[in-house]
Amino acid sequence: MHAGWTCRPDSDTLPAHRLVASRETRLIRIEDVSLSFGGIRAVDGCSFEVAEGSITGLIGPNGAGKSTLFNIVAGVLKPDSGRIVFDGETITGLPPHALFHRGLVRTFQIPHEFYRMTVRENLMIVPPEQTGENLFSSWFRWGQVRRQDAEIADKVDEVLAFLNIAHVADELAGNLSGGQKKLLDLGRTMMTDARMVLLDEPGAGVNRTLLGAITTAIRRLNEERGYTFCLIEHDMDVIAELCDPIIVMAQGSVLTRGTMADIRANPAVREAYLGHPETAEAE
Ligand SMILES: Nc1ncnc2c1ncn2[C@@H]1O[C@H](COP(=O)(O)OP(=O)(O)O)[C@@H](O)[C@H]1O
Ligand SMILES: [Mg+2]
């Protein structure tokens, strides 16, 4: 019985009910987070929420603190102050692998040494706690290992088909184009059964055709798999096509949030991108 749970979005006991993507439910809350590098307040009292089932856009001028904030949420950097709550649990300062087990993942470029493996192999190695990795346990539980390997192989095929990259399954990852590599990054999150995915500029350096494939994959993962996304992107066409709401960061904190129409109509956003109005006029 889940009737009451959307009424208690703060509850620590929210069921992990992945496909009930209620826009009322805050999957992640960033509360008054700050981090300085030396004298630079990269993130400065930043607070916002991401609703479960949303594709939330994060935009703002260069240096606004977007990537630093992502690194804090993903457990790569520790904030000086503030709190991050994921699915009702405080996760501030947890390392990336602990977040990964909870279904909160950030896509990273595949490491260079993985370029010498095929696309299929890159997907095969993702699942955590593969029993097959441990010789001792595999000796004693070989039946389970074989079953698990077969399940993983099936899942890899499913991911390859979903992303339309089955034709490059046996290609070395290093031979992929920039856009195909980004699809592989998304595929790696699919192997983990992510709930929430942080994407830092999925469109950067990608040609138009593959950009379409990436936006389609993001939308389908959202609609069909119930993934929640928070994505940083400079390409406003991508943001306009995918994101609602859009959060605008400037100087380490949230300037405003709203739909694309709200953002476009907001003079403070224009000002943040252009700098001080006097400077903008002088240019
Ligand atoms: N590792 C770091 N050391 C020192 N300063 C940093 C570091 N990372 C980011 N900064 C600074 O923090 C601010 C925010 O950077 P960043 O989070 O990359 O912004 P954005 O992603 O919005 O462009 C910038 O002034 C940047 O120069
Ligand atoms: Mg950045």
Side-chain angles (χ1 to χ4, degrees), residues 174-196:
N175 293 343
L176 300 182
S177 71
Q180 286 172 328
K181 282 192 185 116
K182 298 220 165 172
L183 283 169
L184 177 57
D185 289 340
L186 269 180
R188 285 159 57 84
T189 71
M190 291 179 70
M191 293 302 298
T192 71
D193 281 330
R195 287 184 73 192
M196 164 131 198

Side-chain angles (χ1 to χ4, degrees), residues 37 40 42 60-69 232:
F37 297 110
I40 299 168
N62 272 330
K66 306 178 297 293
S67 295
T68 304
L69 181 75
I232 298 173

Side-chain angles (χ1 to χ4, degrees), residues 4-282:
W5 70 279
T6 49
C7 305
R8 301 182 282 112
D10 281 313
S11 165
D12 285 342
T13 56
L14 282 181
H17 211 256
R18 316 186 30 154
L19 292 175
V20 180
S22 166
R23 289 196 172 250
E24 310 306 318
T25 308
R26 293 169 286 181
L27 185 56
I28 197 158
R29 296 207 310 269
I30 290 145
E31 296 178 355
D32 203 19
V33 167
S34 297
L35 177 62
S36 296
F37 297 110
I40 299 168
R41 291 183 74 85
V43 177
D44 190 4
C46 186
S47 300
F48 66 87
E49 293 157 1
V50 174
E52 178 149 38
S54 72
I55 305 178
T56 297
L58 189 59
I59 67 170
N62 272 330
K66 306 178 297 293
S67 295
T68 304
L69 181 75
F70 260 30
N71 283 328
I72 294 169
V73 174
V76 178
L77 292 171
K78 286 199 170 137
D80 296 331
S81 59
R83 194 162 83 116
I84 297 158
V85 180
F86 178 67
D87 199 21
E89 255 184 282
T90 300
I91 56 156
T92 327
L94 289 184
H97 67 85
L99 301 175
F100 181 91
H101 285 292
R102 286 170 164 77
L104 172 59
V105 294
R106 186 201 153 144
T107 60
F108 285 102
Q109 274 192 330
I110 50 175
H112 227 262
E113 51 278 23
F114 290 14
Y115 282 6
R116 290 164 67 184
M117 290 192 287
T118 67
V119 168
R120 185 187 299 281
E121 286 162 349
N122 266 282
L123 293 172
M124 290 289 294
I125 59 171
V126 174
E129 299 167 337
Q130 269 190 66
T131 322
E133 275 171 12
N134 181 323
L135 189 63
F136 182 78
S137 65
S138 65
W139 181 253
F140 286 98
R141 294 188 288 168
W142 60 273
Q144 182 187 339
V145 173
R146 288 208 317 197
R147 200 159 52 243
Q148 199 178 42
D149 281 352
E151 278 167 20
I152 291 168
D154 286 349
K155 183 143 190 182
V156 167
D157 285 336
E158 189 198 324
V159 169
L160 290 167
F162 185 96
L163 295 173
N164 265 319
I165 51 172
H167 59 291
V168 291
D170 300 313
E171 192 67 65
L172 294 184
N175 293 343
L176 300 182
S177 71
Q180 286 172 328
K181 282 192 185 116
K182 298 220 165 172
L183 283 169
L184 177 57
D185 289 340
L186 269 180
R188 285 159 57 84
T189 71
M190 291 179 70
M191 293 302 298
T192 71
D193 281 330
R195 287 184 73 192
M196 164 131 198
V197 180
L198 306 171
L199 297 172
D200 196 345
E201 302 196 31
V206 174
N207 74 42
R208 284 278 139 194
T209 313
L210 275 172
L211 192 58
I214 290 167
T215 55
T216 302
I218 293 170
R219 182 185 298 289
R220 286 189 57 203
L221 285 169
N222 174 252
E223 289 174 357
E224 297 169 25
R225 307 291 169 107
Y227 278 35
T228 300
F229 284 97
C230 185
L231 67 100
I232 298 173
E233 182 54 58
H234 280 299
D235 186 325
M236 286 302 143
D237 294 339
V238 171
I239 291 281
E241 191 186 326
L242 288 177
C243 300
D244 182 21
I246 297 157
I247 291 159
V248 185
M249 271 183 81
Q251 296 177 1
S253 64
V254 172
L255 180 68
T256 186
R257 66 179 280 159
T259 62
M260 194 58 167
D262 299 333
I263 301 297
R264 279 196 214 279
N266 189 332
V269 175
R270 201 178 125 79
E271 206 174 292
Y273 272 91
L274 295 178
H276 293 294
E278 311 86 79
T279 323
E281 254 155 10

